[in-house]
Amino acid sequence: MAQFIARRFLYMILAFVVISLVTYFLMKAAPGSFLAMNVGVNGASFGADQFQVSPQVMQSIINHYHLNAPWYVQWWGFVKGFVTLHMGTSFEYPNTPTLQLIEETFPVSLSLALISIAVGLAVAIPFGIIAAVRANSWVDSTTMFAAMTGTAIPSYIIAVFLILIFGVWTHLFPILGYQGAQYYVLPVLSLAIPMIGASSRYLRNSLIENLHSEYVTAIFARGGTLKDAVFGNALRNSLLPLITTIGPLLAGLMMGTVFIEEMFGLPGMGHIFVNAAGRRDYPLIMDSAMLYAVVIMIMNLLVDIIYGVLDPRIRRSGRMG
Amino acid sequence: MALVEIHNLRVRFETDEATIYAVNGIDLMVEPGQSIGIVGESGSGKSVSVTSIPRLLPRTARVEGSVYFNGKDMMRATASELQAIRGHQIGMIFQNPHAYLNPTRTIGKQLMEPLLFHHLAGVKRARAMGMEMLDRVGIVNPKARFDNYPFEFSGGMLQRVLIAMALITGPKLVIADEPTTALDVTVQAQILRLLKEMQRELGMSMIFVTHDLAVASQVSDVIYVMYGGIVVERLPAKQLIRVHRHPYLSGLLASLPRVDEPVGRLPFIPGLPVNTRQPLSGCPFYARCQWHLDQCQSAPPLTLVERDHEAACWLADERRVANGQPS
Ligand SMILES: Nc1ncnc2c1ncn2[C@@H]1O[C@H](COP(=O)(O)OP(=O)(O)OP(=O)(O)O)[C@@H](O)[C@H]1O
Ligand SMILES: [Mg+2]
């Protein structure tokens, strides 16, 4: 196990380097720069205070981020700053350290994604079980149809529906801002609903496969009921592979939060990320991209470790992956 | 009263592409304490026949005929009646123990299941009985092995566990479907001895399915030879080598591997196995039989050729074939 984690850790470092390089070059390849844009819009259409940066500040930014230095010096500056948590400030928010910005906004995004996964699984698991146990009946087809419909519609369309139904017509839930748990309901639903479809279908198929396997025949031969077969045995074996889908799912959800936060006005990291990209705020682009990458990789690692702990074949032999 | 009475059992599978005629009318009887061997080549319907006794066939199976177990009409039994019989009065041992055990559940937990499912013992008592049973089937250090997972056992050990599991409730009947085919020869001999011992000790009946005539004659009192979903010959195991009548059985015996040949070769008879995608008409062995007659286009009934010995062959009945050879 320790060896596995060590090896995975090395892969993560490698992946991190690659991701930071790719991000860096894509960012540089994008036309325009914060400096040029800033000059263009200074005091004009944007009018935002943050944009009125004095030439002195501009010069100190250029020095701090080595913007006139060769690419590898610049890149290394970003990476080193991120890794040592000395990210400094960004172009757009020169008065707020980036670290503080992240501390304030990232928990919102992460909790939104995690809660969505939890809610999605909490619904998908019973759905999947019911459909599998009643395989090929109307219960199965109805559940799976609903699930498929949910999957086929992207989160932001679902968000629009939810806003209409719960926010505009019935006023059951708030649709904008963040002042308490109820502000999470619609964003979480928007993210969870598409996921429920895919996950419940996955669980259904894997449970059906398990229920048709020989070891389940053997349970019936020992006098077990369908309930014994599902809850004592087959469900656990079907949930194991479902766990492995959570890693990639989370990656998708983290990206989904970017739109959803915008739509519901949640003060998450997504908003900052999008703005940073739009305004060529190099340090902020680098820092947020690296942060998302690290978080997603850590979550994947956690998921794999949990899988290893739950599957005796891996736990006992101590080998993984 | 016989413990198992099967009459004119027919099983079809309706699949998307075809109907498969797996069993085409068999009669089978097991007396209390008796051991029955079923032999026949792959696809002859052995597994399907025996799995229909506890009604464990998949839902795609269409089963006709009558199956009585211990006086109970299994064809009309409700789901809960069947459940009460399975694992309590009928124990099953399968060919591939790895596939028939849940890989993520400990041996001990699975071993206790028959007792717990049938409320024959509480967890504590079941645990003690499980360990005792493991000890009896020859698992060394059952206490430590109890919490192991299937992948931590060898095939032979797992088969012992499966035997323990099938016998832990003291069933009236144990059905062993090729329990030793997946094992190597020495382990196979040990398992057979164990099974036979346990059967005698507990006074159970046994149905033993195998490809191997030698094994069948070793463990059983009566042998049923199946071919193409029917029983082509039924005879006392002691007589197997001496007085077999059906040309198929003769072929099997003739093609048995000899001592000087490499072991493990399966009996081979020239020709194709029966096409199960058509309803059976006539003798299933017709196409491969070197003595077939025009008469064989209509199915020969299973008829008594001597005491306790039946064969389904026109030639056998007329005693023109002795030991499978025309006289
Ligand atoms: N679930 C099923 N669906 C469709 N066909 C089946 C099914 N189970 C068995 N069959 C078919 O029924 C026939 C008899 O199968 P069965 O398993 O009883 O053979 P067998 O004598 O046990 O063979 P083996 O020695 O290989 O175990 C075969 O043609 C097989 O393909
Ligand atoms: Mg078989």
Side-chain angles (χ1 to χ4, degrees), chain A residues 126-148:
Chain A
F127 263 40
I129 296 174
I130 292 169
V133 168
R134 297 264 170 270
N136 302 321
S137 71
W138 65 268
V139 183
D140 181 19
S141 5
T142 318
T143 320
M144 283 306 114
F145 179 75
M148 284 305 288

Side-chain angles (χ1 to χ4, degrees), chain B residues 242-307:
Chain B
R242 262 188 323 114
V243 294
H244 49 276
R245 294 301 174 101
H246 198 281
Y248 173 62
L249 179 55
S250 310
L252 279 184
L253 286 165
S255 60
L256 270 186
R258 303 190 185 194
V259 199
D260 48 21
E261 273 183 278
V263 281
R265 226 192 66 194
L266 288 173
F268 176 75
I269 303 171
L272 293 170
V274 179
N275 179 6
T276 51
R277 295 183 169 226
Q278 288 165 2
L280 193 65
S281 74
C283 174
F285 196 55
Y286 177 80
R288 287 163 85 179
C289 180
Q290 43 181 319
W291 297 291
H292 65 238
L293 310 166
D294 289 346
Q295 204 181 353
C296 302
Q297 305 269 10
S298 67
L302 198 61
T303 44
L304 208 62
V305 289
E306 62 188 328
R307 210 173 97 83

Side-chain angles (χ1 to χ4, degrees), chain A residues 215 220-223 232-233 237, chain B residues 83 86-87 99 102 104-105 113:
Chain A
Y215 78 83
F220 291 134
R222 273 176 242 147
N233 295 271
N237 292 351
Chain B
Q83 192 235 322
R86 294 173 186 151
N102 181 351
T104 63
R105 210 167 149 81
E113 274 177 350

Side-chain angles (χ1 to χ4, degrees), chain A residues 132-135 210 212-226 228-229 231-234 236-237 240 310-317, chain B residues 51 56 59 83-88 90-92 94 98-106 109-111 113-115 117-118 147-149 151-152 162 165:
Chain A
V133 168
R134 297 264 170 270
N210 268 284
H212 281 125
S213 67
E214 284 130 335
Y215 78 83
V216 168
T217 307
I219 291 167
F220 291 134
R222 273 176 242 147
T225 57
L226 184 61
D228 297 316
F231 293 103
N233 295 271
R236 178 198 170 97
N237 292 351
L240 276 174
L310 290 182
D311 189 332
R313 284 162 294 193
I314 296 171
R315 172 166 27 102
R316 291 281 181 116
S317 66
Chain B
T51 340
L56 276 171
R59 250 179 279 172
Q83 192 235 322
I85 292 173
R86 294 173 186 151
H88 185 187
I90 302 180
M92 289 201 76
F94 302 93
H98 274 289
Y100 284 93
L101 286 167
N102 181 351
T104 63
R105 210 167 149 81
T106 61
K109 280 196 177 137
Q110 301 191 60
L111 180 60
E113 274 177 350
L115 296 170
F117 288 161
H118 297 288
D147 295 316
N148 279 171
Y149 288 90
F151 71 89
E152 295 170 302
L162 232 57
M165 215 175 273

Side-chain angles (χ1 to χ4, degrees), chain A residues 31-79:
Chain A
S33 74
F34 184 81
L35 304 179
M37 284 178 163
N38 184 43
V39 171
V41 297
N42 194 3
S45 54
F46 274 84
D49 296 332
Q50 298 104 315
F51 282 78
Q52 283 157 0
V53 182
S54 68
Q56 290 92 328
V57 172
M58 199 66 83
Q59 195 53 50
S60 80
I61 288 177
I62 290 175
N63 292 340
H64 183 165
Y65 291 103
H66 315 289
L67 292 183
N68 293 327
W71 68 266
Y72 50 86
V73 176
Q74 294 188 34
W75 168 76
W76 179 244
F78 288 130
V79 169

Side-chain angles (χ1 to χ4, degrees), chain A:
Chain A
M1 190 71 133
Q3 199 194 343
F4 161 79
I5 294 173
R7 205 174 60 221
R8 276 292 296 267
F9 209 74
L10 285 179
Y11 284 140
M12 281 169 62
I13 292 174
L14 198 66
F16 177 77
V17 169
V18 172
I19 289 169
S20 62
L21 278 173
V22 170
T23 312
Y24 177 81
F25 283 111
L26 284 179
M27 176 176 90
K28 285 283 177 171
S33 74
F34 184 81
L35 304 179
M37 284 178 163
N38 184 43
V39 171
V41 297
N42 194 3
S45 54
F46 274 84
D49 296 332
Q50 298 104 315
F51 282 78
Q52 283 157 0
V53 182
S54 68
Q56 290 92 328
V57 172
M58 199 66 83
Q59 195 53 50
S60 80
I61 288 177
I62 290 175
N63 292 340
H64 183 165
Y65 291 103
H66 315 289
L67 292 183
N68 293 327
W71 68 266
Y72 50 86
V73 176
Q74 294 188 34
W75 168 76
W76 179 244
F78 288 130
V79 169
K80 194 176 156 208
F82 179 81
V83 172
T84 58
L85 299 182
H86 290 97
M87 302 171 210
T89 55
S90 61
F91 298 165
E92 196 178 338
Y93 307 96
N95 303 323
T96 321
T98 302
L99 193 60
Q100 187 190 334
L101 214 56
I102 290 174
E103 275 169 1
E104 280 166 9
T105 56
F106 190 66
V108 175
S109 302
L110 188 64
S111 60
L112 185 58
L114 292 180
I115 294 173
S116 300
I117 286 194
V119 169
L121 287 180
V123 179
I125 291 172
F127 263 40
I129 296 174
I130 292 169
V133 168
R134 297 264 170 270
N136 302 321
S137 71
W138 65 268
V139 183
D140 181 19
S141 5
T142 318
T143 320
M144 283 306 114
F145 179 75
M148 284 305 288
T149 317
T151 312
I153 305 173
S155 307
Y156 54 88
I157 305 276
I158 289 180
V160 171
F161 275 116
L162 292 176
I163 289 174
L164 275 179
I165 296 170
F166 293 106
V168 179
W169 294 339
T170 63
H171 300 285
L172 275 178
F173 295 108
I175 53 171
L176 205 63
Y178 182 72
Q179 280 148 45
Q182 72 271 29
Y183 286 81
Y184 258 27
V185 175
L186 296 186
V188 162
L189 283 181
S190 314
L191 288 168
I193 286 174
M195 181 202 136
I196 290 170
S199 295
S200 60
R201 218 181 137 72
Y202 188 93
L203 180 64
R204 168 196 180 264
N205 292 344
S206 131
L207 191 54
I208 287 180
E209 195 183 302
N210 268 284
L211 286 176
H212 281 125
S213 67
E214 284 130 335
Y215 78 83
V216 168
T217 307
I219 291 167
F220 291 134
R222 273 176 242 147
T225 57
L226 184 61
K227 214 172 110 200
D228 297 316
V230 171
F231 293 103
N233 295 271
L235 183 58
R236 178 198 170 97
N237 292 351
S238 324
L239 285 177
L240 276 174
L242 188 67
I243 288 175
T244 60
T245 65
I246 291 179
L249 212 65
L250 187 87
L253 275 184
M254 291 299 289
M255 292 301 119
T257 57
V258 173
F259 294 106
I260 295 300
E261 282 167 13
E262 286 277 276
M263 294 187 72
F264 290 98
L266 285 179
M269 184 80 187
H271 175 75
I272 290 170
F273 198 172
V274 171
N275 279 350
R279 292 178 187 163
R280 310 288 182 271
D281 186 342
Y282 292 159
L284 200 50
I285 292 177
M286 284 304 288
D287 288 330
S288 42
M290 288 187 288
L291 178 67
Y292 274 81
V294 166
V295 166
I296 288 171
M297 287 192 295
I298 288 176
M299 287 296 168
N300 268 312
L301 180 66
L302 283 181
V303 162
D304 284 353
I305 291 174
I306 291 172
Y307 184 93
V309 169
L310 290 182
D311 189 332
R313 284 162 294 193
I314 296 171
R315 172 166 27 102
R316 291 281 181 116
S317 66
R319 277 193 306 272
M320 286 174 96

Side-chain angles (χ1 to χ4, degrees), chain B residues 41-48 50-51 95 177-178 209-211:
Chain B
E41 63 185 25
S42 200
S44 56
K46 306 181 298 291
S47 297
V48 173
V50 297
T51 340
Q95 172 172 352
D177 189 354
E178 308 199 34
V209 175
T210 174
H211 284 125

